[in-house]
Amino acid sequence: MINTKKLSNKIKYTGTACLIIGALLIIFSFLFDAKRAFYNYIIMYTFIVSIAVGALCLIAIEYMSGAAWSVPFRRVNEFLSSAIPFLIILVIPIIPGIHTLYHWSHKDAVDTDPVLQGKSPYLNETFFILRLFICILLWIIFYIFIIRNSRKQDYSKDIALTNKNIKISVLFAPFAVITLTLTSIDLIMSLEAHWYSTIFGIYYLAGTLLSGISAVTLISVLLAQKGYFDERIQRRHFHTFGMLMFALNVFWAYIAFSQYLLIWYADIPEETFWLLKRMNGHWQYFSISIIFIHFIIPFIVLISSAVKTNLNILKFMAIWLLAAHWLDLYWLVMPAFDDHSLAIGWVEAGFPIFTVGIFILLFVYKYSKVNIIPVGDPKLKHGIDMFLYPDLSID
Amino acid sequence: MSYDATYTKELPLVPERSSFPELDEVVFKPTETKPTRAWYIAFIISSTALLIGALSLGYTLYYGIGMWGNNNTVGWGFDIINFVFWIGIGHAGTLISAILYLFRQKWRTGIARFAEAMTIFAVMTAGIFPLIHVGRPWLAGYLFPYPNQHNVWVNFNSPLLWDVFAVSTYFIISFLFWGLGLIPDIANLRSRTKSGIKKFFYTILSFGWRNSNRHWQHYERAYLLLAGLSTPLVLSVHTIVSFDFAVSVLPGWHTTIFPPYFVAGAIFSGFGMVATVLIVLRKVFDLKHIITIDHLEKMNKILLLTGTIVGYAYAMEFFTAWYSGYQFEQFVFINRAFGPYAWAYWIMIACNVGFPQLFWFKKIRRSIPVMMIIVILVNVGMWFERFVIIVTSLHRDFLPSSWAMYIPTWYDAGIFLGSFGMFFTLVLLFVKLLPSISLTELKAVTENAQPKNH
């Protein structure tokens, strides 16, 4: 039953090359400038969490809402979320970096700073590491349960497995929100330990869902264009991907704007220093570009209905939005490293290349083992038949 | 594959008595028969409440807002609490009719019309409060920026002004959306009615609708556009209401999660109110086969979801207050939970976060009496949420010499009662005068109404 059409070896070689080049560059960057590399590592880690956990969230949303349109593409989500077990390895390099990255981990700094003293029951190394691992463990547990049921269904075609997964997904939902909130507060917000914003967890969550849906769109479009899917999958199916990318991007912008406006308007020094850093020096140009890259351009491009069924534009915008999420994380993390100028050089290059490598190789591996279409899912036929318009087949 | 068909077959939205003439009969029956005794009793109660409100408001207008419990420290009392409460209730209608429409949720058809009507009445009720809150409502015309000989201009930097624009735009679009959806149904009523005066009004309101193909095409296009337009509008309204608080520097008001938290809360309270009234409506007008238990179960799921989001916001606020290390913020939250208004805080937590958690159980989601109790508690909880946000943040000022308690007067209570009176009077008139279910949409989701090729 496993996929009859094989992936071309080129993909595997590209993935391996990305992984090796990326890994080498990362090693060199740690040797060259460890501090800067640690900051970049946080970006990479949170980005991988965004895609992997974001994809798992989308699977859970599909089960909870009973959506049928996304069932033919669910395996793509599952393949992406298979990075979750590797997080337990990927998180390890952060631990020796805590001292370099986090001001609150310096005992002498905390001793002279009453604000940090107040936070120390939460921001201390033991609890920090514990939280990181608890989050990962929770993701792994839910990942294993959901994916196992989904795979079993390929052979047993048992409806009870769908019902089981609905229950697990509902349980996962609150945990997903809480764990992503904690991850964002711990890894990103506490880089500037004095700063706080109640919306921060939602801000990261919005970026996570957006990059999750963008990654799924990208891979699904590529597979559909190369003919790896059922021929009944039509351009109309991708309209919904376009809508969701548009909607989640607007949601991200809404959250980002809310955070900005409220801090700017109230103008209290406890909060504004964080924004001021990003509104001065070279960062001001970067901040303004983010508005265009992450919101205005995708908004204008994706608003039209014709674009949402144009697979090439959709593919381009998916890559665009993934890059935008990386830049957004860069914007959140890097001013803590250098509050005046942008650090962009070869040091920054290794991390995204490595990330691309991981996901390609995981995909290739999973593709050789698991059906690309969940053939046993009771909603599959409904999902495929949902849009039967002869004029919109993929050319 | 046969099991495919059985699993994905959606439950019929209109299970029985689904022939078109029968649907006509049951939906139009309230508009074509004389009001029942129960309706008169309900109408007497609600219009009495409305009169009490009018009287209290009359006193207020005559003597001034000194009749209220507001004081120097707690400058925003029942007036703003009720405004936010009612404007929040006005969010469910557009969510059901526009956002669920964009999400292709067909089950919305049975309840959309009614929820939209409630939105409009809730926004009308809410609109009274800022007007009387300004103290001299006859000067409220200056809220609209227009060149005048006094050279008086509004403050464009103030979210209170953005509210004027957001709420009025929202009202207009919701009204158009609702009115547009009514046209085919009113045309249907026009064709059925025998009474001359009814025919006259229905003829005017149906705008010459003749069910022609071209009419339908335009109608569907306009409906989609208005759904798309109302979606950002509905989010903007409560976002801006949250800005009223959050742009300030006041601990307890200034926090960045306010916009999404207020929107979720508004949907939560709106669904609470819609569910409360629907449970009564479906029984009184014998609509149990159209507004089925499945509809109510789905609404309960949304209540659970939004209630939990609100709970997340409460938790984040509390956590961040502690995490911020900002002592005033910390004081406000400790004071909320354990200070003189702790009872209000715990009512809020119990009703908004606690009781809706019972909806995790399918039995409770499908039990009408339990559901009725929970949705009423949701209404109570959401009113107290606004009370907690406004009063507890204000009553302990920065200087302890300015600390004060807020005690509403009978006039506050009377106006509050009057707002319920106004809302329910309008609802009662609506269900007797216009079809409270969108019949044309309902017919489109009956069994075999859609052509199926497979």
Side-chain angles (χ1 to χ4, degrees), chain A residues 118-119 157 159 162-163 170 181 196-199 202 240 254 258 261-262 265-266 268 270-271 378-379 381 388, chain B residues 3-4 7-8 104 157 239 243 246-249 254-257 259-260 263 312 320 322-324 326 360 454:
Chain A
K119 294 183 191 207
K157 307 207 186 286
I159 295 175
T162 299
N163 293 332
V170 169
T181 306
Y196 56 90
S197 170
T198 36
I199 210 173
I202 309 287
T240 317
Y254 167 67
S258 299
L261 181 93
L262 294 179
Y265 205 118
I268 55 177
E270 284 87 345
E271 296 176 336
K379 291 185 293 181
K381 189 176 172 329
L388 280 176
Chain B
Y3 71 92
D4 251 28
Y7 188 86
T8 55
R104 305 184 196 128
N157 289 337
T239 298
F243 286 168
V247 297
S248 68
V249 292
H254 173 70
T255 179
T256 47
I257 205 170
V263 171
Y312 170 85
T320 311
W322 171 80
Y323 177 88
S324 69
Y326 184 34
W360 283 96
H454 298 276

Side-chain angles (χ1 to χ4, degrees), chain B residues 371-384:
Chain B
M371 189 195 304
M372 189 68 189
I373 294 169
I374 296 178
V375 294
I376 288 175
L377 287 177
V378 166
N379 290 320
V380 173
M382 282 311 289
W383 189 85
F384 271 100

